[in-house]
Amino acid sequence: MESPLQLLRELFPFGQTGAEQKSAAAVRGLLDTVTGLSPQETIAKLAGSVLPSINGQPNLHMRFKLLEDVRLEAEESLPVLEKLIAHAVLPLPLDAATSALHADNLLKGLAMAYAGIARSINKGHLNDGLSHLLHRSVQRAMAMIGRRQLLAYRAYAAPSTSSWQALHELYQMVRGQRSKPLNGETAPVEHEYLGALLFAYLEPTKLPRAELEIINTSTRQLAAYALIGEVTPEICNGKAADACFIVRPDEGNPGYPMMRLPSGTSIFGSLLIDCTQVIAAIDRNITRRPGKAIDPILEASPALLQALRLAISGKSARRFSRTRFRPRGDLVSGFGPVLSFLDGNTFSRRSVDSASRYDGRDYTSSEWAMVDESPDGFRLRFIKGEKRNLGAGDLVALQPRESSKIHVCLVRRISSSQIRLEVGLQLMSPQVSVVDIVADETPDQRAVFLHSLPAYGKYSGLITAPGAFQTGQKIMVKLPGRSLHRLIGTCMEANEGLEFFALDLLPD
């Protein structure tokens, strides 16, 4: 059994042994060999060769320093792969899938290595003497796990159960009397933990891929406003609170909104995440006046902030149950292709409709299985066809096989894995038309006119190209045989591919 003095010599960098110095030099030599490699090759070598050589370093301070060298080296290449994955079509092609695998392996390896240092300190019961190294290692491990989860979300994949289990374990490691009140070492750990939880509560698979970076940054800002504590009997006996989530540290998930917990579910031993002040911070940004100073200042658009508020409130549950069925359908995605599909091609698939076919089409369709449906939407599973850069909030047109009916929908959720790609669609209107929009001082624009919006109230709606119109603008909607005069109302949603407006009646 090792003596206490020997253990201290291994933990502290007083006089490193020749073996330790030789081990560190070998790692630095391996780091030099990645110079000039491509980003994918660099990440693969760091994960496959460099990290394993560090984990055998017995001196914990030296091991942490070497891990920091690897992390800094990885920062030269990781963003390149992350950008590639974020912009890749779905399902991921081989090159993007390979890049995602290498990046995930490195982030997982770094997280495990940092966590290994923390476990060694915790197991040795030397927390007080090495508390700074313990907390820095835990924070780094959490940051790597959070980045790994964001990598999965970039491809609309769900983070692994093990990543949540690791986060909960790391937080529990520093939680307790030493963590209350929070100090300069424990506060960053809790902030990292809450940031990962909040990002998951926003349900990233329902958000536009192009917005994930902004949303992740906003989440980190909002984490400072979330409160975490033990579940008390008073909470258990009281009514379920809005904007509160329950986390069970022994489970591999980020937790559940209290509002959705089945009646009678025991929550003793759980953690309570109170997001009331997070909602208040989002509200300050939604109602912010130009020039007014607020804290925090979030860079997200008002439409996106509204979506985040709904998710954090815990009220974004499905409104209808779904009926399972298995027909197939053709899907066209993107504002321009959907316009082309609707504009003279809606009867073009069946041979008997050849007289209605417009041969100058500029869209392509893919084949999907219609897994289930509800009164306001569908769940589809990809079968074959051209891969597209799908994102939450995108416009799609769905035509079931052997039917001339076209469903115009917005993508609300995407789930991607190695074996399947699924999307959840919201049906926008029972009747849609491709129309010309006439407005003063604006060139005529083609748009999708939604005759009614059952999910939003007694409105009609308009889906247009980004930047074509603005709230308060008077327009004329040219329908076959008649024209409607309307006022552009609230912008319900906006992204890089479209803008969705409610239309108001003009006063007489």
Side-chain angles (χ1 to χ4, degrees), residues 12-13 36 74 106 130-131 134 189 277 312 322 332 373 384 428 492:
F12 289 93
L106 178 61
L130 292 174
S131 64
L134 169 71
V189 171
Q277 291 305 312
I312 290 293
R322 292 186 178 273
V332 176
E373 71 171 333
K384 63 181 180 180
M428 299 307 296
M492 311 295 284

Side-chain angles (χ1 to χ4, degrees), residues 29-94:
L30 283 174
L31 280 173
D32 290 338
T33 64
V34 303
T35 303
L37 297 180
S38 69
Q40 188 178 108
E41 291 170 332
T42 297
I43 296 303
K45 187 157 190 176
L46 290 176
S49 301
V50 182
L51 272 183
S53 66
I54 294 176
N55 292 331
Q57 168 63 246
N59 185 294
L60 299 186
H61 282 279
M62 177 58 71
R63 194 191 306 177
F64 183 88
K65 187 176 187 310
L66 292 173
L67 288 176
E68 290 289 271
D69 291 341
V70 173
R71 184 179 63 84
L72 292 174
E73 183 67 43
E75 283 297 336
E76 299 294 323
S77 301
L78 265 178
V80 178
L81 300 191
E82 289 168 334
K83 186 175 181 180
L84 170 67
I85 295 160
H87 292 88
V89 297
L90 297 174
L92 290 178
L94 179 60

Side-chain angles (χ1 to χ4, degrees), residues 395-416:
L395 180 69
V396 299
L398 170 66
Q399 183 176 27
R401 291 292 173 93
E402 300 308 320
S403 172
S404 60
K405 176 68 175 177
I406 302 295
H407 303 288
V408 173
C409 310
L410 290 181
V411 178
R412 289 308 187 200
R413 177 187 63 84
I414 300 180
S415 175
S416 177

Side-chain angles (χ1 to χ4, degrees), residues 113-165:
Y114 283 116
I117 295 175
R119 292 191 187 100
S120 295
I121 297 172
N122 200 46
K123 185 178 179 180
H125 304 293
L126 295 169
N127 307 52
D128 293 331
L130 292 174
S131 64
H132 183 60
L133 182 60
L134 169 71
H135 290 98
R136 286 190 70 194
S137 298
V138 169
Q139 184 187 0
R140 284 281 192 264
M142 284 185 167
M144 295 300 102
I145 294 171
R147 192 162 180 176
R148 185 185 174 207
Q149 292 180 336
L150 176 58
L151 183 73
Y153 288 131
R154 291 180 196 276
Y156 284 125
S160 66
T161 298
S162 62
S163 71
W164 288 116
Q165 291 171 333

Side-chain angles (χ1 to χ4, degrees), residues 376-390:
D376 71 341
F378 306 90
R379 178 160 65 100
L380 308 183
R381 184 173 298 156
F382 178 78
I383 298 177
K384 63 181 180 180
E386 181 178 335
K387 298 178 179 180
R388 293 195 61 85
N389 196 344
L390 277 175

